[in-house]
Every structure is written in structure tokens, then in C-alpha cells.
Amino acid sequence: MIKYEVIIYWSAEDEAFIAEVPELPGCAAHGDTQESALGSAQEAIRLWIDTAKEFGDPVPEPKGRRLILA
């Protein structure tokens, strides 16, 4: 289970839902629905963590605050 905060919002410019993970710099995803954006974000989180570990970069502990669907 992914415990990082994910913020999902509609982007008129991109014509898609954007899912950002503020605790992981640069970690974001998108989708046609809120659910698909969240699913893509979960995969992006896994990839972000794997890449950080591969390069020996620190991985922040999740604060696990909340899931925001806007």
C-alpha cells in the first residue's frame, strides 16, 4: 500500500486529471479519470522509489496525511 499524499485535480490545459505526490519531488502522473490518475501515480511512486534506491538517494518516509480528490 502506498502511503504518500496524492493530490488529484483537473487540468483544463492538459485535459486530464493530474496526480501529484508532493513528498517526492517531480513525481506526478495523469489520467482520463481520477481513478486512472491515482493508479498511474501509484506506479510513478514505485518507480520514483526504485530509482532513488538505485542511485543511493534518500527516500523520505511518507507522512500519510490524506488523499485529496478535487
Side-chain angles (χ1 to χ4, degrees):
M1 176 194 287
I2 302 297
K3 295 184 179 180
Y4 289 95
E5 177 181 29
V6 177
I7 299 171
I8 299 175
Y9 60 91
W10 174 255
S11 169
E13 180 180 342
D14 298 312
E15 295 185 2
F17 286 95
I18 307 298
E20 294 182 352
V21 186
E23 296 172 73
L24 304 177
C27 188
H30 70 278
D32 292 333
T33 65
Q34 292 176 355
E35 293 80 9
S36 65
L38 179 58
S40 294
Q42 290 172 334
E43 180 61 20
I45 290 168
R46 284 195 235 11
L47 292 170
W48 194 101
I49 291 170
D50 289 347
T51 301
K53 288 180 179 179
E54 180 180 334
F55 287 96
D57 296 333
V59 177
E61 288 295 318
K63 295 176 184 169
R65 291 184 285 202
R66 63 189 179 276
L67 173 67
I68 300 172
L69 300 175

